[in-house]
Amino acid sequence: MNFCRLKPPKTNQLPNTTFGFHGTKQSDADEILRTNFKPAGKNSGNYLGEGIYFFDNQLSHAKSWAKNQAGQRQRGTAVAVIESEIKYGNLMNLTDPEALETVKTFKSAYERKANTPVTLATIIDIVADKTRAEVVKACRYPGNTTLMSQGFTADVEIILAVRAIGNILSKRLVWSEMIGY
């Protein structure tokens, strides 16, 4: 079913890598290091849809997320951050204003044609599947869960959703802490 005639956002085939930081509970970090990451599935309600989530070169944001989200600020909860080298590969770069606007326009057209609201994460999943994106990159400001327009400040979060687990080239524990101690 063709919901609109928009050209999908371009994906970049980048050979380079970045370092991503994944904040979680210590018990989950131990399991990831022992086995592997487990991606959030489609319709998970996550910010960028399917994938394994990292902060792009932002250890401080991953620590904060681990404490406030994974650890739910509960005293005595052990939290951790895993550092991974990530290959961008076929990147859907929503920090690019043109790509972000294309996705938002597709969302509006989809909702109009389907006569039902959908989340931006659902649209990102659809577009990422069609463009075979291996990694989705976007920015967000803390306290605002929507995708932001261009412009960066010190507190902007650069988020990666790695859809192709083979793009995670390494994993190692870089930080752990007991909340409240």
Side-chain angles (χ1 to χ4, degrees):
M1 188 173 218
N2 186 6
F3 286 97
C4 70
R5 295 175 187 240
L6 293 174
K7 201 165 83 174
K10 58 186 179 254
T11 55
N12 300 338
Q13 185 66 37
L14 299 176
N16 59 332
T17 62
T18 189
F19 286 94
F21 296 92
H22 181 83
T24 189
K25 291 181 185 175
Q26 181 71 55
S27 58
D28 293 341
D30 292 342
E31 181 65 19
I32 290 166
L33 294 170
R34 200 172 20 262
T35 59
N36 215 339
F37 287 96
K38 293 175 180 57
K42 290 187 189 319
N43 304 316
S44 64
N46 284 336
Y47 177 61
L48 297 174
E50 180 181 349
I52 302 149
Y53 282 69
F54 294 88
F55 290 94
D56 190 358
N57 282 301
Q58 295 177 305
L59 175 58
S60 63
H61 286 296
K63 287 178 179 180
S64 177
W65 196 94
K67 291 177 190 177
N68 297 321
Q69 302 299 320
Q72 299 174 336
R73 298 183 182 172
Q74 292 183 3
R75 184 180 170 97
T77 302
V79 292
V81 173
I82 295 173
E83 176 191 66
S84 293
E85 184 178 9
I86 298 166
K87 181 176 102 177
Y88 282 127
N90 196 17
L91 174 69
M92 184 202 285
N93 188 357
L94 298 179
T95 65
D96 172 19
E98 182 182 324
L100 177 58
E101 192 55 39
T102 299
V103 169
K104 286 180 174 180
T105 302
F106 180 73
K107 179 183 184 295
S108 295
Y110 186 99
E111 289 175 331
R112 192 173 47 258
K113 293 284 187 178
N115 199 26
T116 188
V118 293
T119 66
L120 193 53
T122 298
I123 296 302
I124 290 169
D125 274 337
I126 292 168
V127 174
D129 284 348
K130 293 289 183 195
T131 61
R132 293 184 170 82
E134 296 167 311
V135 176
V136 178
K137 180 178 184 176
C139 59
R140 177 177 76 150
Y141 292 101
N144 186 342
T145 58
T146 61
L147 289 170
M148 304 313 307
S149 60
Q150 61 276 15
F152 294 91
T153 65
D155 61 342
V156 71
E157 298 171 341
I158 307 298
I159 311 235
L160 301 173
V162 179
R163 299 170 61 85
I165 201 161
N167 286 43
I168 301 172
L169 305 177
S170 64
K171 57 187 177 184
R172 70 183 184 102
L173 185 69
V174 292
W175 175 85
S176 63
E177 180 177 286
M178 186 75 69
I179 297 175
Y181 293 98

